[in-house]
Amino acid sequence: MHENISKILLIYTGGTIGMIKDYESGALKAFNFDELLQNIPELKHLEHEIETLSFEVPIDSSNMNPEYYLKIAEIIEEKYEQYDGFVVLHGSDTMAYSASALSFMLENLNKPIIYTGSQLPIGDLRTDAKENLITSIQLAGLKKNGKSVIREVGLYFEYKLYRANRTSKVNASHFEAFAAPNYPPLAESGVELQVNESLLKRVHGRKKFFVHKELDNNIIIIKIFPGINEKTLSYFINLESLKGIVLETYGSGNACNEKWFTDIIKEAIKKGIKIVNVTQCVGGSVIMGHYETSTKLKSLGVVSGRDITTEAAVAKLMYLIPKNLAPKVFKTIFETSLRGEMS
């Protein structure tokens, strides 16, 4: 095989991209991914060698959970040496959560894993699925001097490749469904594929690829709003199994500083619950202590999520909680960028 020709594994988990319209009934049904070449003859023109693997039962992304993240990670672990790159086909609704989780689970990743999907089924006349799929395969296969150019988990949608753990789904009805408000695209697809190599994750040395298989989903997202009350908040904090909270606050990390509120936060932290402060704003960063209304949270030991997305914060919590870190160590590690997820 020519040194710049790649062997790519397509992993179909479910989602709109793998649907085809039954024109008689008008209903959408999953099509057999082994027949991919018949449905997308353009794939024959790609120089790369493509193989496919599908979940036996396709999963709607609304039903995605950590068990399926593990399934995807284990497929990649098992096939890691056989392929140069991986493309994960996934429903768009929870793709940012799933792709963020994979970025933390896979340590010392040295190959591209590109998540993609579509807003319209592959068999639809106006589908965005073909372009998303073809370009994702090209990106996963991209090599320079025989080595993969991209060596991280990416998410490709509508002409842009993003770092997966920087993304959020921002639109339910446009083809441009995703954005990464705090990090520029890693690559853009125009007449030519333009890769911004200075933004790509650097891989240092040749450390052994490793998959973290323990995730803990005993966490919740609490979005602060004017009028949130003591009784409701207290109820959540006292859930027996609760281990982590992603606290979505105002602006640069602000929340009400009334005594009842700070008392509840204090009690939660005392119980060992990890609380991470992320902003509700689409872009920007948490800067705790910038205003008086966040100074108290900082002094209580709330962890700053800085400019992390809610999706990546959820994934990072699930990944770190099983490691049973002491509060100060947890805070230090969470506030450190592990996979390029925060600035």
Side-chain angles (χ1 to χ4, degrees), residues 48-67:
H48 306 306
E49 200 180 304
I50 303 158
E51 290 178 12
T52 63
L53 190 153
S54 298
F55 276 19
E56 300 85 65
V57 180
I59 304 297
D60 185 292
S61 78
S62 302
N63 292 322
M64 264 290 161
N65 65 45
E67 283 173 37

Side-chain angles (χ1 to χ4, degrees), residues 117-261:
S118 64
Q119 295 283 65
L120 286 174
I122 216 155
D124 204 281
L125 206 55
R126 293 177 48 254
T127 189
D128 54 331
K130 288 185 181 183
E131 196 281 321
N132 285 351
L133 180 54
I134 290 165
T135 309
S136 292
I137 291 167
Q138 284 185 309
L139 287 162
L142 217 52
K143 281 182 177 174
K144 203 173 180 180
N145 306 323
K147 287 184 178 164
S148 294
V149 173
I150 295 151
R151 295 188 253 174
E152 59 179 290
V153 184
L155 188 156
Y156 181 81
F157 227 87
E158 191 63 7
Y159 307 119
K160 286 179 182 168
L161 174 72
Y162 301 105
R163 173 165 297 153
N165 56 32
R166 291 290 195 145
T167 60
S168 294
K169 186 172 181 182
V170 294
N171 203 303
S173 49
H174 288 183
F175 285 141
E176 213 169 307
F178 286 86
N182 290 321
Y183 204 73
L186 303 178
E188 296 192 53
S189 168
V191 175
E192 290 176 352
L193 263 186
Q194 288 186 312
V195 181
N196 194 337
E197 292 193 35
S198 65
L199 295 172
L200 294 173
K201 198 164 186 301
R202 297 268 170 265
V203 178
H204 302 291
R206 290 188 62 88
K207 291 179 182 168
K208 193 168 162 44
F209 174 66
F210 179 77
V211 180
H212 295 265
K213 297 186 180 181
E214 266 191 277
L215 295 173
D216 195 321
N217 62 353
N218 287 298
I219 63 177
I220 54 169
I221 299 169
I222 295 179
K223 186 167 185 158
I224 301 292
F225 60 92
I228 190 168
N229 65 66
E230 185 175 354
K231 203 174 173 184
T232 309
L233 199 58
S234 203
Y235 173 80
F236 284 119
I237 298 297
N238 287 302
L239 291 171
E240 211 175 299
S241 58
L242 189 66
K243 292 178 188 169
I245 297 170
V246 175
L247 193 66
E248 281 199 358
T249 56
Y250 311 127
S252 57
N254 307 310
C256 97
N257 57 2
E258 288 180 38
K259 190 175 183 303
W260 68 263
F261 182 85

